Amino acid sequence: MLRTALRNVLAHKARLIMTALAVLLGVAFVSGTLIFADTTANAFRNASAQSLKGVAVSVRADEATTAPDMAGGADGKPTTAVDTALARKIRHLPGVTSVRPTVHGQATLAGKDGRPVNADTNGQNLATNYQPGPDGKDSHYPLKEGRGPAAEGELALAAKTAAKAGYRIGDTVRFATDGPALTNKLVGTVSTDDPQVTAGGTLTLFDTRTAQKLFHRPGQFDEIAVAAAPGTDEYALTEQVRALLPKGGASATSGAQLAAEQSAQIAKNTGYLTKTLLVFAGVALFVGVFLIANTFTMLIAQRSREIALLRAVGASRRQVVRSVLIEAGLLGLVASVGGFALGLGIATAMRPLLNTTGATLPDGPLVITPAAPLASLAVGVVITVLAAWLPSRKAAKIAPVAALSSIDQAPPARALRVRNLLGTLLTGAGVLVMLYVATLKGTKESNLLAAMLGGVLTLGGVIVLAPLLSRPLIALAGKVTTRFFGVSGKLAKENALRNPRRTAATASALMIGLALITGLTVGAHSAQQAMATEATQGLTADYKVNYNTARGLDPDDVGKIARVSGVAAAAPVTTAQLGTHGESAVITGTDPEAFGKVARLDFRAGSLHDIGPGRIAVSDEFAGRAGLHVGATLDAELGGGMDDGKAAKRKLTVVGIYAKTRTVDEALGTRADVLPYSMTKQFDNLLVKAEPGKAAGLERTIRAALDDSPLLKVRSQEQLVKDNNESVTTVLSMMYGLLGMAVVIAILGVVNTLAMSVFERTREIGMLRAIGLDRSGIRQMIRLESVVISVFGAVLGIGTGIFLAWAAGGLTTTSMHAYETVLPWGRLGTFLALALMIGVLAAIWPARRAARLNMLRSIQAS
């Protein structure tokens, strides 16, 4: 039987190649994910080890002391408890060989073309101090060109940053930290392993005094890295360092503990990403199961005479099953080896792909642990053998006489009745769960689990019911093909209906991929529409102006923009915390008259003109929560983030109630009432209305009025919508790529089913040729059959995806009040057109093969 299995594998190479490709792609996804996870974790560990190299103790300023609003000095700069005096004391401890005091900050660069570099990702625009040793070089930042910054007016950049911004040694670099734009001369470029920089962030280096001047005050640092002599007890040294620290101002951590914490964080971050990717790999493998099972079912049906003869000469049922499983195992083994090789390429491409979505994954060599190839082989072989198990048992149960008398029998009616009953129960249960999910609000874990359960049950039920659903849907499609293509169209319909199970299994593979893609598309499109509505709801301003840091706009900035030619109105906006009646909210402060020209609020009671000193309006939602009404007087607490950390008590009167909108927070008052209690004592943003016909070129003029600061953001309504939708668009694009693997496997399934069906119908095709159907008619028949099966899968997938997206959409309404299910008809039409294209392309090889069959030999085939 082993020789028989080997012979069957070699005898059906062409028939099994598509199945092998399906296993190969699924395994490639799994192996690529595992290798990528190991590679990423190793790269993070290497970057972490590099940053912690030689660090016995790390002293860091407490976060509270570095916050500019909590502990700012007289000059407005944040202060820290980590200073030169502390570094000197630590340096004199026994066993300490060196200390490295570091300043951390953010610096946004303007490129050579004048545009900000990474303007919307300030968290990755790193800045620090260059600390040369006795040789004039900083070991943490090896020089690539030039030298390190040594005086005020100089800076160095990471080599990738300089290339990205278009700067060369000797150029004047414009940048901003948290104030006006500055210029320094570029004197050198360095290399760095910092993952935030290697993944697309920027790195700017200053001399220590300049860095302190920009980010803190003279003599102050954010961190001190302590190096110790070999053999020094890190934990004992850490305790000695802690004894020198001021209370509540800084903390000390041993290098070993810091490495352990970073290692745990790396494992957590990469573990989450790995699990997410493995889910998509599982979807691809699940789709592959349909192809494998379908292939072996057809192979066994075509070899039923051979199996019958083996049974007749003494082969037992167990031997027949074993023979088929060995054949499947060999196929899975070969495909797994190829899949692992392809997985290496996927792992290599995954890092730059994910970094385009905003991830900060570091560079690093591929890491292949024994777990990756072993898991790949296990997954490929096990999945293939399991998928072939049911077809092998079916083959073993066929009586020799029955097999010898028929090549392919229709499935028993009773079996289909049982299947239809089970499918109805599963689908009904899934629909009921999803209808329950539609009544839920919020993305709590229990709600998400219920949605996942309902989705799995619904998809599973549709898959089981697919043979039953195929008859009416394919019959309907057959009317179209018959009407437009005559005999070829009718034959295509009859061929698709001949074996409902086979047609359903082929279509289900495509259905799963399209159901998931459709569900994601409908949900994402609906979310984008809601976010676009909320981003500009009630906003009539042409531009929103603000800085890309915690720094706000001061009255001088507001005045400069208001005086720009082409500006019709400019309304400054600030915010503060508001507490009353046991409820907390955010109050917006502005100039009501100017605000009326840049925004339109839907007042339920009162009006914008009623707002004045001590008089505020509130949103309908906040009024309901706090029990407020027009005329109510509040004992309000304003602020709480001021220097003393205490809120101020004010008497305020409610004079209006408006419909909630993102343009305004829960309450609206005058800027005089709100500005003194805001966190920064500055305006958060400025809403600008252009004069008629002047909006197009106003952005450039506004930037020029504020010295074209790299920190400045001047966004139109279209840009606000784009910024809101960008994250959803990026994630959706990545999901398309990941789910695309499942669709590719589904296409292979259609090709494989048609190719094997052509072989199965060799005599029938010969007879059709003999009675007058020409080669083009044969090709057309096969193409139409492929299109009918593909469209059937697409209709099921798109319909199921829409239902799941609608039912689960309600979970987002707490975070997006404007959310409602909106169907992207254009994209859905594209998916249907894609299914038609898949049907046509998948039929090219099988149709050509069928048309080239010799008529006489085909009729004589048995």
Side-chain angles (χ1 to χ4, degrees):
M1 296 306 292
L2 177 60
R3 286 196 298 270
T4 300
L6 290 172
R7 180 183 60 78
N8 286 331
V9 171
L10 296 174
H12 304 103
K13 293 187 291 291
R15 303 184 208 175
L16 293 173
I17 189 169
M18 296 299 174
T19 305
L21 279 174
V23 180
L24 184 147
L25 290 175
V27 170
F29 209 158
V30 173
S31 62
T33 298
L34 294 174
I35 295 170
F36 166 74
D38 292 334
T39 299
T40 303
N42 182 70
F44 271 118
R45 282 194 294 269
N46 288 343
S48 175
Q50 186 67 26
S51 65
L52 295 176
K53 186 178 181 180
V55 177
V57 183
S58 174
V59 179
R60 295 180 177 179
D62 289 347
E63 188 174 346
T65 63
T66 60
D69 58 300
M70 299 288 289
D75 56 2
K77 296 290 183 183
T79 62
T80 80
V82 178
D83 54 19
T84 304
L86 178 61
R88 192 179 298 115
K89 291 178 184 178
I90 295 173
R91 178 67 184 85
H92 287 97
L93 288 175
V96 174
T97 57
S98 68
V99 295
R100 180 184 173 86
T102 306
V103 179
H104 299 306
Q106 303 285 337
T108 302
L109 304 174
K112 198 72 178 288
D113 59 359
R115 296 180 177 275
V117 179
N118 291 358
D120 296 323
T121 55
N122 191 57
Q124 297 177 32
N125 296 332
L126 309 179
T128 187
N129 55 320
Y130 187 83
Q131 303 183 57
D135 60 353
K137 299 178 181 179
D138 188 337
S139 60
H140 278 63
Y141 301 106
L143 285 169
K144 297 201 74 173
E145 287 186 277
R147 60 176 177 83
E152 189 172 2
E154 297 180 346
L155 59 75
L157 297 174
K160 287 186 176 181
T161 300
K164 187 175 185 178
Y167 287 119
R168 295 182 178 180
I169 303 297
D171 286 344
T172 298
V173 179
R174 292 184 69 250
F175 68 95
T177 56
D178 196 17
L182 304 171
T183 56
N184 278 17
K185 182 181 179 181
L186 178 63
V187 297
T189 60
V190 303
S191 58
T192 177
D193 294 326
D194 191 310
Q196 294 187 76
V197 180
T198 59
T202 65
L203 173 66
T204 308
L205 299 169
F206 304 95
D207 67 281
T208 299
R209 288 193 177 186
T210 301
Q212 290 174 332
K213 180 179 178 181
L214 289 171
F215 304 116
H216 296 306
R217 303 174 75 185
Q220 295 187 341
F221 303 92
D222 292 289
E223 182 180 6
I224 298 175
V226 182
T232 303
D233 187 333
E234 285 190 7
Y235 294 100
L237 181 59
T238 303
E239 291 302 322
Q240 293 177 16
V241 171
R242 285 175 181 160
L244 299 177
L245 302 181
K247 292 184 178 180
S251 59
T253 308
S254 69
Q257 182 181 348
L258 201 60
E261 291 174 356
Q262 290 194 7
S263 179
Q265 187 62 40
I266 289 169
K268 180 180 179 181
N269 293 342
T270 56
Y272 176 78
L273 180 60
T274 302
K275 289 176 183 176
T276 302
L277 294 173
L278 283 175
V279 167
F280 289 96
V283 171
L285 285 171
F286 183 63
V287 172
V289 166
F290 286 89
L291 173 53
I292 299 166
N294 221 15
T295 300
F296 276 94
T297 298
M298 296 179 73
L299 281 175
I300 288 166
Q302 292 167 14
R303 299 206 314 258
S304 56
R305 287 178 178 269
E306 174 190 323
I307 294 171
L309 286 172
L310 289 173
R311 292 291 313 281
V313 297
S316 66
R317 290 186 176 183
R318 183 174 297 178
Q319 286 178 313
V320 171
V321 171
R322 191 181 303 153
S323 173
V324 175
L325 294 183
I326 290 173
E327 185 178 342
L330 292 172
L331 176 69
L333 182 63
V334 173
S336 296
V337 172
F340 178 75
L342 181 60
L344 294 174
I346 291 176
T348 303
M350 206 170 285
R351 186 193 66 81
L353 173 66
L354 291 177
N355 279 343
T356 61
T357 68
T360 55
L361 305 178
D363 292 320
L366 282 180
V367 176
I368 305 174
T369 62
L374 290 176
S376 301
L377 290 173
V379 166
V381 172
V382 169
I383 288 293
T384 310
V385 170
L386 287 178
W389 182 68
L390 285 177
S392 69
R393 286 181 57 84
K394 179 182 177 183
K397 289 180 179 179
I398 298 175
V401 174
L404 288 171
S405 63
S406 176
I407 294 177
D408 188 18
Q409 293 181 342
R414 180 179 177 279
L416 282 178
R417 283 200 299 269
V418 172
R419 176 171 180 153
N420 294 340
L421 177 60
L422 177 61
T424 302
L425 293 175
L426 281 174
T427 306
V431 169
L432 288 176
V433 172
M434 292 309 297
L435 291 177
Y436 166 72
V437 169
T439 66
L440 302 176
K441 305 296 179 184
T443 54
K444 295 187 298 183
E445 184 177 353
S446 58
N447 294 350
L448 293 176
L449 289 175
M452 290 175 62
L453 174 63
V456 169
L457 288 174
T458 304
L459 269 176
V462 173
I463 291 170
V464 177
L465 274 181
L468 178 65
L469 298 174
S470 67
R471 292 190 177 278
L473 292 178
I474 290 180
L476 181 62
K479 291 182 179 180
V480 177
T481 58
T482 302
R483 180 178 179 83
F484 290 97
F485 300 98
V487 174
S488 296
K490 185 174 182 180
L491 288 172
K493 179 196 73 171
E494 295 299 331
N495 289 334
L497 288 174
R498 178 175 300 181
N499 192 325
R501 280 183 168 177
R502 181 188 305 165
T503 298
T506 306
S508 293
L510 185 61
M511 183 270 288
I512 295 168
L514 283 179
L516 296 175
I517 289 176
T518 300
L520 285 172
T521 301
V522 173
H525 180 73
S526 301
Q528 287 176 327
Q529 293 294 312
M531 292 167 70
T533 299
E534 292 181 357
T536 58
Q537 190 175 25
L539 186 67
T540 59
D542 294 296
Y543 292 99
K544 182 178 182 179
V545 183
N546 65 289
Y547 283 111
N548 191 37
T549 64
R551 173 197 175 195
L553 296 160
D554 57 35
D556 287 342
D557 295 331
V558 173
K560 289 177 182 177
I561 295 175
R563 291 190 293 271
V564 167
S565 175
V567 172
V573 174
T574 187
T575 56
Q577 292 295 317
L578 168 69
T580 184
H581 290 65
E583 296 288 340
S584 61
V586 176
I587 183 170
T588 298
T590 188
D591 178 353
E593 182 178 354
F595 192 77
K597 299 176 182 178
V598 299
R600 185 182 298 111
L601 298 183
D602 180 13
F603 273 86
R604 306 296 171 81
S607 70
L608 192 64
H609 301 293
D610 296 327
I611 299 173
R615 303 190 302 276
I616 67 170
V618 296
S619 71
D620 49 4
E621 184 179 281
F622 181 59
R625 290 202 331 259
L628 303 178
H629 56 84
V630 172
T633 300
L634 312 180
D635 290 321
E637 294 184 349
L638 291 173
M642 300 182 297
D643 295 338
D644 57 7
K646 296 181 181 179
K649 294 186 178 180
R650 286 286 309 274
K651 289 280 188 182
L652 298 174
T653 302
V654 177
V655 295
I657 296 177
Y658 55 86
K660 184 177 180 181
T661 172
R662 284 184 62 179
T663 302
V664 181
D665 294 295
E666 291 96 332
L668 179 64
T670 64
R671 64 179 183 176
D673 281 341
V674 179
L675 188 60
Y677 310 104
S678 67
M679 296 286 284
T680 62
K681 309 300 184 294
Q682 293 179 315
F683 297 109
D684 299 338
N685 57 72
L686 183 70
L687 301 178
V688 177
K689 182 70 175 177
E691 293 178 355
K694 299 291 184 67
L698 197 57
E699 177 185 358
R700 185 70 262 170
T701 313
I702 292 174
R703 286 189 173 278
L706 296 186
D707 300 323
D708 206 14
S709 170
L711 298 175
L712 193 65
K713 297 172 71 174
V714 183
R715 293 171 293 171
S716 64
Q717 289 201 22
E718 292 78 11
Q719 289 168 324
L720 288 172
V721 171
K722 182 181 177 182
D723 288 350
N724 270 354
N725 290 346
E726 188 172 4
S727 59
V728 177
T729 302
T730 301
V731 171
L732 186 61
S733 299
M734 186 177 70
M735 295 294 187
Y736 280 163
L738 295 173
L739 288 173
M741 189 74 75
V743 176
V744 170
I745 294 174
I747 294 172
L748 294 176
V750 178
V751 175
N752 210 27
T753 298
L754 289 174
M756 299 183 74
S757 180
V758 167
F759 174 82
E760 191 176 89
R761 302 202 305 263
T762 299
R763 177 180 290 181
E764 175 187 318
I765 292 171
M767 291 295 295
L768 290 172
R769 290 290 313 283
I771 62 175
L773 192 61
D774 58 12
R775 294 180 185 273
S776 63
I778 294 294
R779 285 194 294 268
Q780 189 176 73
M781 178 185 72
I782 300 297
R783 280 198 299 267
L784 290 173
E785 181 181 351
S786 176
V787 167
V788 166
I789 293 174
S790 297
V791 170
F792 169 56
V795 170
L796 278 186
I798 293 172
T800 305
I802 290 173
F803 170 72
L804 295 178
W806 168 80
L811 300 180
T812 64
T813 53
T814 54
S815 57
M816 286 183 284
H817 296 279
Y819 184 92
E820 60 180 14
T821 302
V822 180
L823 297 183
W825 293 108
R827 295 184 190 178
L828 297 181
T830 301
F831 296 158
L832 196 57
L834 178 64
L836 287 169
M837 188 182 301
I838 288 172
V840 172
L841 294 177
I844 291 176
W845 177 56
R848 184 182 178 189
R849 183 170 180 265
R852 295 175 65 181
L853 290 175
N854 183 280
M855 185 191 311
L856 296 177
R857 290 179 182 175
S858 298
I859 294 173
Q860 293 173 356
S862 58

